[in-house]
Amino acid sequence: MSGSEEEVDLPRFFKVFLSESASESMAIPMSFTEHLQDPLPQTAKLQGIGGGVWTVSFKKIRDCAYFTSGWSKFAEDHELKDGEFLTFVYDGSHTFEVSVFGRSGCKEMRAVVETVNLSDANSDEEEDGEEDSSVAADSDEEEEEGDDDPSFDAGEDDEVSQGLCAVDSDDTVSNAEVVAGFSSMEVESNPYFTTTLKNRIYELLIPANVVREHRLTFCDRIKYIDGEGIMYGAKGKWSDDRICFKGWDRICRRNRLKEFDTVHCEMLHIRKKVHSIKITITRGR
């Protein structure tokens, strides 16, 4: 099957930035309203191509939707200037991926988030006293067992801790600024499941009962969205036809997932085709 058949064409719009009218708020085109949830969620996420995430208030004023509180911070951090061109790609839920084009017409990388090399994490291990032993001990072994082979046999415990759950408004992640808008979001319309740290960390297994109940299909590549930004995972399939996604180990490592942590996975979809998985973590003991 070709990539074009698998990819979901996400709704999008563009705006020309004018400081006189868009320094404190940004109006969304009226013609785009049909793609938005009704009622609007109280907040939205703006994902910059530099890796940062900004939480903004989402309001409807005289039948027009606006980004309000928080938009000025986004504009300031991206150093937006009059006449610059912005594109917004909507995930169908609460997140817009925003690209900035300068007056030259070229896409520009702005507000880049500084990344931390995982190899520098040893100092943090000494503070914690107990770093993620499962991740550290199994990483080399898993690579040798054939990380790229999606046809392995699944063990009995690979899905035992995954299941449907209701959204917990008290879920927290380490980045307080990112999580600020999560608690008030209306996410009941999206399927959810939970998982924990597995011995095999290279794939995220999608519970078969969730797929059947919601009649879901999946893109060949999905976005993992956590408090640090976006990563991508390629689709695989187990020998019993269950769906999994690669690259999950990067999420486990970046979030320093521990044995008793619970990961809540919200599947964002367009017409039942999942394109992104939004992740929040409840820390265990």
Side-chain angles (χ1 to χ4, degrees), residues 160-275:
V160 67
S161 63
Q162 296 183 336
L164 284 172
C165 76
V167 176
D168 184 350
S169 61
D170 293 327
D171 286 349
T172 59
V173 292
S174 56
N175 189 327
E177 184 172 336
V178 173
V179 81
F182 272 63
S183 60
S184 60
M185 288 186 178
E186 300 173 4
V187 294
E188 294 82 0
S189 61
N190 291 316
Y192 238 94
F193 67 91
T194 63
T195 188
T196 57
L197 182 65
K198 307 290 186 182
N199 286 334
R200 190 177 188 94
I201 64 172
Y202 290 90
E203 292 97 357
L204 174 65
L205 176 65
I206 310 299
N209 62 316
V210 179
V211 177
R212 286 194 301 267
E213 180 176 346
H214 297 278
R215 300 179 180 178
L216 299 174
T217 59
F218 296 85
C219 296
D220 280 341
R221 190 173 75 146
I222 57 129
K223 293 179 181 178
Y224 296 126
I225 305 173
D226 63 8
E228 300 295 327
I230 289 178
M231 287 184 171
Y232 293 88
K235 185 172 71 173
K237 184 177 289 188
W238 286 26
S239 57
D240 58 2
D241 289 335
R242 285 183 292 175
I243 300 297
C244 65
F245 284 93
K246 303 287 187 177
W248 182 242
D249 59 306
R250 292 177 296 161
I251 293 295
C252 294
R253 296 176 192 281
R254 181 160 80 172
N255 289 278
R256 296 189 174 278
L257 201 63
K258 302 291 183 63
E259 180 182 359
F260 297 102
D261 295 343
T262 301
V263 185
H264 301 256
C265 301
E266 178 189 357
M267 292 183 285
L268 310 182
H269 61 91
I270 300 291
R271 295 183 295 277
K272 301 294 185 181
K273 175 162 277 192
V274 176
H275 54 79

Side-chain angles (χ1 to χ4, degrees), residues 12-67:
R12 62 196 67 204
F13 65 90
F14 73 89
K15 294 283 291 189
V16 176
F17 180 77
L18 298 174
S19 58
E20 184 177 350
S21 59
S23 291
E24 300 299 325
S25 64
M26 171 67 79
I28 295 174
M30 289 283 290
S31 59
F32 194 81
T33 305
E34 65 183 62
H35 299 290
L36 302 176
Q37 293 184 352
D38 187 16
L40 286 177
Q42 296 180 19
T43 59
K45 300 289 182 182
L46 303 181
Q47 169 73 50
I49 62 172
V53 179
W54 287 256
T55 301
V56 297
S57 295
F58 211 5
K59 294 184 179 179
K60 183 171 285 189
I61 303 173
R62 293 188 295 277
D63 296 326
C64 186
Y66 288 81
F67 299 135

